[in-house]
Amino acid sequence: MNELLILMAAPFFECLVLVGIHSYLGLHVIRRGIIFVDLAFAQIAALGLTVGFLFNIMPDSITAYWISLIFTLIGAVIFSIFRFTESKIPQEAIIGLVYAIAASTMIIVIDRAPHGAEHIKEILTGDLLFVKWNFVISAAIVYSLIGMFHYIFRNKFLNITENHNLKHSPDFNFRLWDFLFYASFGVIITHSVRVAGVLLVFVFLVAPAIFTSLFWTGWREQLIAGWITGIIVSIGGLVTSYYLDMPCGPSVILFYGITLFGAMLFYQAKCYLNNHNKHKSIYNIKTEGEM
């Protein structure tokens, strides 16, 4: 048990800081209907890390972080511009196209770098088990600052999310705050991908929002429930990883998948019972009326 606590302490606290900010951003993503924007951002950040890797800049270096951040900020500009472009093409299509281009470019770049296959694996699944405490602390600081920024200006961000269908003639402030949402999103993703990988970052964003949307509707209830769910799943995934000798990131993803599958089955059963009881009540009322 002591060995488990020592080995998994840093990965667990890294999962905590990931859950804290990603659960909140996931609610925005679900309500905006831009489910794959996180995956696209993560792929863009990964492309930045790969470009640096091609020039022998290690992914855990400060230089690699700034290269990756520049790439994600470019992505933020693209997403915010096409958000208000009068077009029959939905924004989700633009997001998917950007993801495909970033992924293809990364493959082309990594093909020219030594040990490219290992780099792609690390980019996808991360290296959560070997995360260092200084990275956990820096992540907590960065995420807290972004969280404070979103809390102070929460009315701005909530207004844009609740009016995400507004496309015609939005004023300058609306465009500006939409860009700031994507830019802050990009900062979070850039920091997360370096250790958690593309797949785990995506799951931490959408899975809590999907789970909580089944049973709650309010922002506060969903956020608290998402935090609790993320903590429980992180513990389950890391413990499973330890005892079954599995990679940490994929183990947490698998545990989240099992949790979501169980929640959806429970939700469907609940809906079925409610409909059954409703029809039964209507039938009893009609029967009593005929008598």
Side-chain angles (χ1 to χ4, degrees):
M1 178 61 75
N2 289 335
E3 182 182 353
L4 171 64
L5 295 176
I6 294 173
L7 184 63
M8 294 298 179
F12 172 68
F13 279 97
E14 175 63 19
C15 286
L16 286 187
V17 295
L18 285 170
V19 167
I21 192 66
H22 282 266
S23 295
Y24 161 75
L25 291 173
L27 297 179
H28 280 280
V29 167
I30 292 294
R31 282 170 165 77
R32 285 178 174 225
I34 48 174
I35 310 302
F36 294 104
V37 69
D38 175 67
L39 195 59
F41 261 131
Q43 193 62 59
I44 294 171
L47 174 60
L49 294 176
T50 304
V51 170
F53 185 76
L54 181 63
F55 294 97
N56 296 319
I57 300 173
M58 293 298 100
D60 58 349
S61 66
I62 297 298
T63 304
Y65 172 78
W66 284 108
I67 294 174
S68 183
L69 181 60
I70 290 172
F71 273 71
T72 54
L73 290 179
I74 293 173
V77 172
I78 293 173
F79 293 146
S80 59
I81 288 176
F82 280 98
R83 162 94 153 83
F84 301 108
T85 301
E86 292 189 18
S87 173
K88 296 181 180 180
I89 303 173
Q91 190 182 21
E92 192 75 350
I94 301 297
I95 292 171
L97 182 61
V98 170
Y99 167 79
I101 293 173
S104 300
T105 306
M106 189 184 80
I107 293 174
I108 293 173
V109 172
I110 204 61
D111 187 56
R112 287 160 172 74
H115 309 292
E118 295 179 9
H119 177 72
I120 288 181
K121 179 183 177 182
E122 185 175 333
I123 286 294
L124 288 176
T125 63
D127 200 12
L128 191 59
L129 179 62
F130 299 103
V131 62
K132 298 178 181 178
W133 280 107
N134 60 343
F135 186 90
V136 176
I137 294 172
S138 67
I141 293 173
V142 171
Y143 298 167
S144 297
L145 291 175
I146 296 295
M148 290 174 59
F149 174 68
H150 273 259
Y151 179 77
I152 293 172
F153 299 104
R154 59 189 180 278
N155 291 334
K156 301 284 188 182
F157 294 119
L158 291 176
N159 177 51
I160 295 175
T161 296
E162 297 297 345
N163 295 281
H164 64 274
N165 289 322
L166 181 61
K167 292 182 179 294
H168 301 291
S169 302
D171 59 31
F172 174 77
N173 286 333
F174 200 93
R175 290 175 178 266
L176 174 63
W177 285 103
D178 192 60
F179 166 74
L180 291 175
F181 170 81
Y182 283 116
S184 59
F185 202 150
V187 173
I188 294 294
I189 299 303
T190 301
H191 210 89
S192 303
V193 166
R194 296 167 67 196
V195 66
V198 172
L199 299 179
L200 184 58
V201 167
F202 175 70
V203 170
F204 267 134
L205 181 92
V206 299
I210 293 173
F211 177 83
T212 57
S213 296
L214 294 174
F215 307 104
W216 296 275
T217 57
W219 279 85
R220 181 176 307 220
E221 293 83 0
Q222 285 187 284
L223 187 57
I224 294 174
W227 287 339
I228 296 173
T229 304
I231 292 172
I232 295 173
V233 167
S234 296
I235 294 174
L238 293 176
V239 171
T240 301
S241 170
Y242 176 81
Y243 284 108
L244 298 183
D245 193 23
M246 296 165 55
C248 286
S251 297
V252 175
I253 293 172
L254 179 62
F255 212 83
Y256 241 131
I258 294 172
T259 302
L260 281 178
F261 183 71
M264 289 178 181
L265 287 179
F266 177 80
Y267 178 77
Q268 292 296 328
K270 180 182 176 183
C271 291
Y272 173 79
L273 290 175
N274 288 340
N275 290 333
H276 178 73
N277 292 332
K278 181 179 179 181
H279 292 155
K280 186 176 179 181
S281 298
I282 294 174
Y283 175 78
N284 291 336
I285 292 174
K286 289 184 177 179
T287 303
E288 292 176 359
E290 292 175 355
M291 295 176 60

